[in-house]
Amino acid sequence: MKRAIYPGSFDPVTFGHLDIIKRSSRLFDEIVVGVLNNSSKNALFSIDERVNMIKELTKDMPNVKVDSFEGLLVDYAKQIDATVVIRGLRAVTDFEYELQIAQVNHVELPELETIFLTTSLNYSYLSSTVVREFASYGGDISRFVPAEIVPLVEEKYKVK
Ligand code: PNS
């Protein structure tokens, strides 16, 4: 049983994330989408909101589980018995940061391998930050996130 973890902040989940989840679910027996519960980061969505959004969007993918974690990724990977970390690489600008995290995780837990999937070309510009920025100025985010997520993001900026 090969279990991989796809960690991230997912604030909010985008089409780019969903593309990586779908593609990696074909490569491993089980994918655990690990949503980082980082209390020091001022997130737009609560941890429960982020987990529930991804659960809803992946409900038809039987080998995809969604969970939250706190603290170090290596500790969480050990706890759930995951041997692979999945990360998406959009452009060379992601590379330095991703390489550093992958290497530090590998030093801490040598059995944990990080595998990078190159983001599909049509999502290579996309990030949760872009979604939040666009939505904060009233921009149309329907090309960035699934239809169910659009009103949830827009609602956040209405009450802010
Ligand atoms: O979607 P993001 O915010 O780019 O995801 C970053 C994430 C969650 C993968 C990374 O910040 C992480 O693993 N954080 C947990 C703490 C940790 O283990 N950090 C790596 C060693 S410094």
Side-chain angles (χ1 to χ4, degrees):
M1 163 87 170
K2 265 268 171 247
R3 180 177 290 127
I5 174 167
Y6 178 41
S9 305
F10 306 105
D11 188 35
V13 64
T14 68
F15 281 131
H17 296 130
L18 290 167
D19 175 57
I20 298 285
I21 294 172
K22 197 183 291 170
R23 286 161 56 206
S24 53
S25 73
R26 295 188 205 118
L27 301 174
F28 295 94
D29 298 312
E30 187 176 285
I31 301 293
V32 177
V33 181
V35 185
L36 179 66
N37 187 2
N38 184 351
S39 47
S40 66
K41 231 178 164 181
N42 207 357
L44 183 63
F45 288 96
S46 73
I47 188 68
D48 289 343
E49 287 173 321
R50 284 179 277 154
V51 166
N52 289 337
M53 280 190 272
I54 306 171
K55 273 191 180 162
E56 184 57 30
L57 294 165
T58 58
K59 62 175 190 254
D60 296 329
M61 300 181 202
N63 66 336
V64 174
K65 307 269 175 292
V66 190
D67 192 13
S68 62
F69 76 101
E70 278 179 84
L72 287 177
L73 180 62
V74 285
D75 292 336
Y76 180 62
K78 253 190 265 177
Q79 187 192 315
I80 64 165
D81 211 15
T83 49
V84 173
V85 175
I86 306 281
R87 292 285 287 169
L89 266 189
R90 285 166 300 195
V92 72
T93 41
D94 282 342
F95 185 72
E96 214 169 316
Y97 170 67
E98 294 296 338
L99 183 69
Q100 193 180 24
I101 295 190
Q103 287 177 334
V104 76
N105 286 341
H106 193 70
V107 167
E108 283 298 312
L109 187 60
E111 334 46 305
L112 189 66
E113 296 291 355
T114 299
I115 290 184
F116 296 104
L117 293 188
T118 51
T119 304
S120 299
L121 270 183
N122 38 340
Y123 304 130
S124 60
Y125 62 90
L126 193 49
S127 68
S128 299
T129 309
V130 162
V131 174
R132 293 196 304 269
E133 178 83 0
F134 240 71
S136 72
Y137 291 107
D140 177 9
I141 55 167
S142 59
R143 267 197 297 268
F144 307 156
V145 300
E148 306 89 304
I149 307 296
V150 173
L152 305 178
V153 178
E154 287 175 350
E155 191 57 33
K156 289 283 175 186
Y157 286 103
K158 255 187 236 154
V159 294
K160 275 200 162 189

